[in-house]
Amino acid sequence: MKEQPGKWHYMDANYIVLTKVLEKVSHQDYKTYLKEKILKPSKMAHTGFMTDQYSRLPAASIGYLANGAAGQLPNFTQLPGVGDMYMTATDMYRFDRALWTGKLINEQSKAQMFQPGSTSHYGMGFYNDPALIVNRGYLSGWNVSNGFSHGGRIYIVLFSNEKNEKVSLSKMNGELYTKITATI
């Protein structure tokens, strides 16, 4: 334990522990649970779990580092619940939409999920920023910034397969939101 409850400190290990809790409570392995309870109801047809066979998939992308080299994939068997999934940007939108419209959780649970748990605005996987509710991730050259407005009217899904310190997808997400809202 790094900090006392109530103090924010992101750690991938927390999501590994969460998958074990989910398996214990649901009596299913977490991949089966996610397929049944998240992927299927969200109609996420182009989403799966990373294996050493990922690069053989017809639409597999390669994550690149700033120097142009391909990023090294980690051993995903050691990272359950932590970046061990792939999906298309469309499937990310489908997840966001299903989450927002109540297909995955009820309104009370959604309100609790988006409640910031610390001064960082982070709580249960999302940053609850003033304009957007955002989650993001980085792995071996891949970069994701996924956000939607508090009213669920605007969705901005940004995926990149290049790690570039000069480009912030999070900043770009906010800029796009500002431009979109200025036109509506």
Side-chain angles (χ1 to χ4, degrees), residues 69-137:
Q72 291 293 106
L73 291 176
N75 178 351
F76 288 106
T77 62
Q78 303 297 311
L79 298 170
V82 184
D84 64 335
M85 294 179 76
Y86 62 87
M87 70 184 64
T88 63
T90 300
D91 273 7
M92 183 85 259
Y93 164 76
R94 288 180 177 135
F95 168 78
D96 292 345
R97 189 79 181 131
L99 179 63
W100 191 259
T101 60
K103 289 183 179 162
L104 302 179
I105 58 177
N106 64 35
E107 286 298 317
Q108 182 180 358
S109 295
K110 185 171 66 173
Q112 185 178 7
M113 181 178 193
F114 297 149
Q115 180 67 37
S118 67
T119 56
S120 71
H121 301 260
Y122 187 82
M124 295 195 200
F126 290 88
Y127 292 90
N128 190 334
D129 292 335
L132 293 168
I133 297 169
V134 180
N135 65 347
R136 54 185 176 255

Side-chain angles (χ1 to χ4, degrees), residues 35-53:
K35 286 175 188 174
E36 291 177 6
K37 305 291 187 189
I38 306 293
L39 304 182
K40 188 175 178 182
S42 300
K43 297 182 179 20
M44 297 170 71
H46 304 287
T47 298
F49 296 91
M50 297 294 281
T51 69
D52 58 357
Q53 302 299 308

Side-chain angles (χ1 to χ4, degrees), residues 7-67:
K7 286 269 208 166
W8 183 79
H9 182 83
Y10 179 89
M11 290 180 63
D12 285 346
N14 292 335
Y15 287 92
I16 295 170
V17 171
L18 185 59
T19 62
K20 297 304 174 193
V21 170
L22 176 70
E23 290 177 341
K24 197 76 153 168
V25 170
S26 70
H27 306 288
Q28 293 179 291
D29 73 271
Y30 87 100
K31 290 178 182 179
T32 301
Y33 183 88
L34 290 180
K35 286 175 188 174
E36 291 177 6
K37 305 291 187 189
I38 306 293
L39 304 182
K40 188 175 178 182
S42 300
K43 297 182 179 20
M44 297 170 71
H46 304 287
T47 298
F49 296 91
M50 297 294 281
T51 69
D52 58 357
Q53 302 299 308
Y54 171 76
S55 62
R56 296 183 183 172
L57 294 173
S61 68
I62 297 170
Y64 292 96
L65 304 177
N67 64 6

